[in-house]
Amino acid sequence: MLVAPPASVAAASAVPEVVLLRRAYLLMHTAAEMAALYEAQKTVAARYVHATARGHEAVQLAAAFLLTGADYAAPYYRDDALLLGLGLRPYELMLQLLAKRDDPFSGGRTYYSHPSLRREGLPVIPHQSSATGMQAIPATGMAHAIQYLEYVKSEKLTAGGAPAAAPDPTPPVNPLVLCSIGDGAMTEGEVSEALQMAVLHRLPIVYLVQDNDWGISATGEEMRAMDAYEFAAGFPGLHRVRVDGADFVSSYNGLSEAFEHVRQRGGPALVHAKCPLLGHHTSGVRREWYRGDDLATHQQQDPLPRLHRRLLQAGALEKDLIALAARARATVAADWALALAAPDPDPATFADHEFAPPAVLAEAGERAPAGADKVLMVDAALHAVDDILREFPEALFYGQDVGGELGGVFREAALLAKKYGDRRVFNTPIQEAYIVGSTAGMAAVGARPIVEIQFADYIWPALNQLVEELSKSCYLSMGKFPVPALIRVPVGAYGGGGPYHSGSIESTLLTIRGIKVVYPSNAADMKGLLRSAFLDPNPVVLLEHKGLYWSKVPGTEDAKTIEPAAGYVIPLGKAAVAQAAAPDRLRAGDTCVVITYGMGVHWATAASRVYPGRVEVLDLRTLNPLDWEGVLAAVARHGKILVLTEEPLLNSFAESLAGRIQTQCFLQLDAPVYTLGAANLPAIALNVELEKQMLPSAAKVAKVLGELLGY
């Protein structure tokens, strides 16, 4: 029998058992009819690959019935029954299946049962990838944001320290996150990172693991040493529940227990549901290719006849159940006809929603206030974050070693944890994927994360999240879920940092569409760009050169500048002339321009002293979006161009930019576009003399400038 649902579970309270079972029966038939129709119409339905819930319907519907409009959900690609249980029409799911214009999730841009939804009364479902384990990190980030914003409300944190609004006398149910995942995906390392953080911070999240013993064509025995329930025992504090995922009542009762545990803030929970796989893995990997006799075994656990028998035992009439099945069949057929006739997307909209509109459109605030002192670049960054945390209670800052006493290995977060508390400024484990991927979930709930990767050389474990979760979210959700996340990354070589603390990574980042990449060269730009990056509604990676932090490297004294006032901003995508050529030399036509960024600005200005008045230095400041208009104007002024980078030159952003200039500005050029970068080697050597041989320098730049000016 169904247990009486907890009072806090508003979606199911006071619903008679037979009514709930009948609702489940109708929707279970609806999901099954959809799967059968897709198979019968496979020449049309399988044009784009899809998977269905067939065999998983019972546990998915149980979960859907327990979710409320206050909650958040991260379904996986087999969860179409869950979406039906939330109230979505078959027609809406079919629009996505057929990649139609009015697909409510993505406008025809992403796969079936890959939802992203903001709809009154339903859980918020942010965009996520194909959900083969990666979704666990953003989902856990959602739970972390829920917990943090509850703390903000309880502490009455508001901008400027003013008291918050009075609490609602009838607060809604405590929200939670449902993360749905297949058992095969539980073997992903990123899932372990998510579970670690969920337990460490006692986050309000339920992990629903649907275990059908298959991962495409590999069996559970081949893929894992234990199932998810057994694996979860290694995370003390993670509440565990086993259910029969093919039985609606077992699923509902077990999930009710888990949901109540989480709503009462007892910490995270994991529900392991054993389910049969009755359909294909996907429409592109068909069951007849690999299942053999296993399919007949799974069919014995079909949740539909099991629910049918239970309803009869509860007093339902056979004729009424037949009528419900017929109603489901008719709804599916009618919705299919409507979906087939629905319009396709307008091809002209293909590029819409790469980014959400920027928040900062023009430079504002005081760049050089009267009486202000000069400041180091590292301190400008610290002060900018301090200003943000003071003004925006939704902002928080985390990463490796940024909290506690240390405040970052470069002291770039010094004393912030003491000032704002360890709920807002805190250390994470060595989990780059979690640090970056959690920002997508944080942002979806309303928190504004600033995170740090300790060294650029350690960002690679985070690329999966950066590419699959953050960069695609705005585009694939049609702008519903941009990810306002600021990711700080110390980069660059100086003085023997060696192969794992000296890397430059901008070219790799710039192959990822949907993120912005910013690279300041001085303290004033650091403060203005960091704030703009925080305010931007898109993912921004801020590259911070370690050799410029303290202006100790010879030739980098100009990185130390007058400190701008609080609130100073520079729009992203706007280059600056760091050094202009002399007007008389410009009129004489014997000048050139160095287009560069970061440390390159300082190499170029030092090198230019050999050629007084003849060298302009254009500091790009933002690499994506690139100030192409600024580049065109500089090319038109000079006709001779050097593109300078610290990265190895071969196949770099610098070479790409040089090629673009050569192609689009050919008639304005007085010489080939020159390039200079580091040696094309896989790492920076530890020995400082070897490092010098590998990297550009002012002397090397001066030599190239001589060749260019004399061309």
Side-chain angles (χ1 to χ4, degrees), residues 9 47 86 144 153 194 197 208 211 268 334 376 386 409 439 508 514-515 525 537 541 555 557 638 661:
V9 184
R47 180 182 179 187
L86 293 177
H144 209 148
K153 186 175 182 180
M197 288 298 284
L208 169 58
D211 180 3
L376 294 169
D386 191 1
V409 294
T439 65
T508 298
I515 67 170
D525 284 353
V541 179
E557 296 81 7
H638 302 282
I661 293 169

Side-chain angles (χ1 to χ4, degrees), residues 18-41:
V18 72
V19 173
L20 193 64
L21 293 178
R22 283 169 58 89
R23 181 181 171 209
Y25 187 79
L26 173 64
L27 291 173
M28 200 177 292
H29 260 291
T30 303
E33 289 292 341
M34 290 166 65
L37 182 143
Y38 297 164
E39 182 65 10
Q41 299 284 327

Side-chain angles (χ1 to χ4, degrees), residues 236-251:
L238 180 60
H239 182 65
R240 296 183 300 154
V241 180
R242 276 196 194 272
V243 301
D244 180 351
D247 181 83
F248 177 80
V249 172
S250 171
S251 297

